[in-house]
Amino acid sequence: MGSAAQQSESGKRRRALPWAVLGLWVGLLVLIAPFSGKLSDVQVNRAVDYLPTSADSTQVARIQDSLPGGEATSIVVVYHRDGGLTEVDRTTAADQIAQVDGDFDLSAEPQAVTSQDGTTVMYPVSTTAPGQDDEARDDFVAGVRDITRGGDGLDVKVGGPDAISTDAREVYGSLGGPLLYTTAAIVAILLVLIYRSPFLWLVPLIVAGIGDFMSMGVAYGLHELFGTTISSQSSSVMTILAFGAGTDYALLIVARYREELRRVVHPYDAMRAALRGCGPAVLASSGTVAAGLLCLLAADLGSSRGMGPLGAVGVLCALVAMMTLLPALLVLLGRRVFWPVVPAYGSQPKERRSLFASMGSSAGRRPVTVLLGGVVVLGALTLGTLNLPGSLKQEDSFTETPDSVVAMKTLAEAFPERGTEPVVVTAPTDKADAILGTVRGTSGVENAELGRSGGGWTEITVITESVPQTPAESETIKKLRSELHGEGAYVGGPSAEQLDLKETNNHDRVVVVPIVLAAVLLILIALLRSLVAPLILLAAVVAVWGASLGIAGLVFEPLFGFEGTDPGLGLLSFVFLVALGVDYGIFLMHRMREECLDGAEPSVAALTALRTTGSVIASAGLVLAATFAVLTNMPMVQLVELGFTIMVGVLLDTFLVRTYLVTSASLALGRKVWWPGPLSRRPAARSVERELSPTA
């Protein structure tokens, strides 16, 4: 009777718990839905929104906001005709600009500036009417574009920093849907190929989508509670991580669950065994990735600092979904979800020749030679970093050229020796005249005029002799800051913002990189109870990062035609590749350690770990690389560069570094790989009963 009652109770639990988990998730999604839809409303994409408060550019923007009318919206209307403008063209331009002046509250009457060759005339247009409202700014730019039109060979474009910002906001606003759909489609195709089942692939894909939806709500909450900076780049990466990392965890859980179904009668009990087996490793690896990403909180740059928690949110929400909702759905669906290859109780999987066993054997024959050869290859690839283009200009950040960028390129050709974007100096009003004289006397300045005043500050608009965002203009900005040091004045504007972005990124790289390395090293030491093994993994992922940037340097300009490199690429790619690379290394080394604890010799343990974890983690690496590859199809150069670099790094780590180099290093070092832990000094007694199976 007692046994029958226990079995009945166990049966009820098997049926009730999965349904309870499913019900909790439904309730959670209902609660979080109103917040998930608001994430796009709080995104910021202006360079000045990313900068630290101490930067000159940030101070200038803050002071401009306090001046009458707030921060000015500055654009340039460009009229151009190949062969030279006609009198009719000039009249048309003057009439259209007069209409703009009449329809909008401009700061001053626009004045025509004609190029020496007579092909181009530009009208700088500025207004403070929109204030800080991005939607109003965009409406102003759109209104000017509606009025200023060409035809019959007369080309008219609206450019300038705020027109570029308007085009950027339009592009960023269009990213969400295509990014989500493309990512889901890529993951779906790979899951169909991996599982070879018409049904199974749907389950992890749906759960990954739910994890992404949850992460959007949590990210909005972080913004509201802590003011976390959210950019289109960081929210895009969050979606990629929710799908990529979530699918990786699903692959590991499903593989172990499939194996347990052959040994256990009930799916509920099989899932419990699967989670006991692979759960600790999944938790450890996801925790390491999240910890690595959270190190970005030490960055000064707002976009990088916001990327850390958002990336961690994507990973952790995917983890929660895959460790709770995925098991519940799989248990409720039972064995039939694996059709047509159903893992029946008591059956044996088909024996297949293991590719990773062959790769391990090749590394095992000459481990030192393989290790040195791999190091040479990675070192040679790293030299490609010398070919990386310089810093990315604002107008070069689009993969498809919008009208605002066409306008700026036209101006650069028509006025090759003249600045076309103003540098802004904000000066204390009581010192404004003296500071204006200093600015006019600074080498590289063509002209400077006083602008608005208010709140104890006066605005000075500076036109330099150099083309915007060039080394010559950057040198002029540095001279201005040096000349005005101690006067209480600040130097800002679009070009100064880009200069501050570059300098802040350089500072963050020096600060954040050591923190990431230290944090990940400490976690690995705690997990693997060794010093040598963690150092091997860290050295491997750092080598992958260098090689990935090297490959990027070989293709960005020659193949993709990119004119520059995002200043934040080095830091962000380092954090992601170190965190994600170590993630996979944990599975390999954890399994290797497990084999050694069972009494296996280090060489046997290394080859067994590679053979038993290789196929699942290779599938996971392909999925993660493919999800980051989605970013290469986005219309912003920053996203393409980040996606390409991480994709290449994940593939290098999956099929070269982890497979050959880490395995070869472990074979060459033998028991020393576990120094100074007990496994490095004496063979461990074989366990009477294994806690984890070979596919843990």
Side-chain angles (χ1 to χ4, degrees), residues 160-349:
D162 286 300
I164 293 176
S165 296
T166 291
D167 290 337
R169 279 191 289 272
E170 181 179 354
V171 171
Y172 278 124
S174 67
L175 290 182
L179 178 74
L180 179 61
Y181 304 145
T182 307
T183 303
I186 291 292
V187 172
I189 292 170
L190 289 174
L191 287 176
V192 169
L193 295 175
I194 292 168
Y195 287 139
R196 301 176 186 176
S197 166
F199 307 114
L200 181 58
W201 64 274
L202 270 171
V203 182
L205 181 64
I206 291 172
V207 175
I210 291 173
D212 176 52
F213 187 74
M214 178 183 177
S215 69
M216 293 167 64
V218 175
Y220 178 79
L222 288 178
H223 172 78
E224 292 299 300
L225 292 174
F226 305 108
T228 302
T229 300
I230 298 177
S231 66
S232 294
Q233 185 184 49
S234 61
S235 61
S236 298
V237 169
M238 183 180 70
T239 292
I240 292 295
L241 285 173
F243 273 92
T247 305
D248 283 0
Y249 303 146
L251 288 170
L252 295 166
I253 293 170
V254 171
R256 181 59 187 270
Y257 176 56
R258 188 202 300 263
E259 180 184 342
E260 295 296 341
L261 284 172
R262 300 182 188 276
R263 295 201 290 255
V264 180
V265 175
H266 298 290
Y268 176 86
D269 297 326
M271 182 56 74
R272 286 185 63 188
L275 292 178
R276 282 199 304 267
C278 67
V282 171
L283 289 170
S285 61
S286 60
T288 304
V289 175
L293 293 175
L294 288 174
C295 291
L296 282 170
L297 288 170
D300 277 345
L301 198 64
S303 56
S304 298
R305 192 168 58 250
M307 181 80 75
L310 258 68
V313 163
V315 170
L316 295 178
C317 287
L319 171 71
V320 172
M322 292 303 171
M323 291 290 285
T324 58
L325 182 58
L326 177 67
L329 291 175
L330 290 175
V331 169
L332 290 173
L333 292 170
R335 283 184 165 84
R336 58 185 177 274
V337 76
F338 288 93
W339 188 87
V341 185
V342 179
Y345 173 62
S347 64
Q348 294 294 326

Side-chain angles (χ1 to χ4, degrees), residues 480-503:
L480 282 171
R481 287 176 172 173
S482 176
E483 292 288 338
L484 299 177
H485 181 70
E487 298 294 330
Y490 300 100
V491 181
S495 297
E497 290 169 5
Q498 296 299 315
L499 180 62
D500 288 340
L501 279 175
K502 181 179 178 181
E503 292 178 350

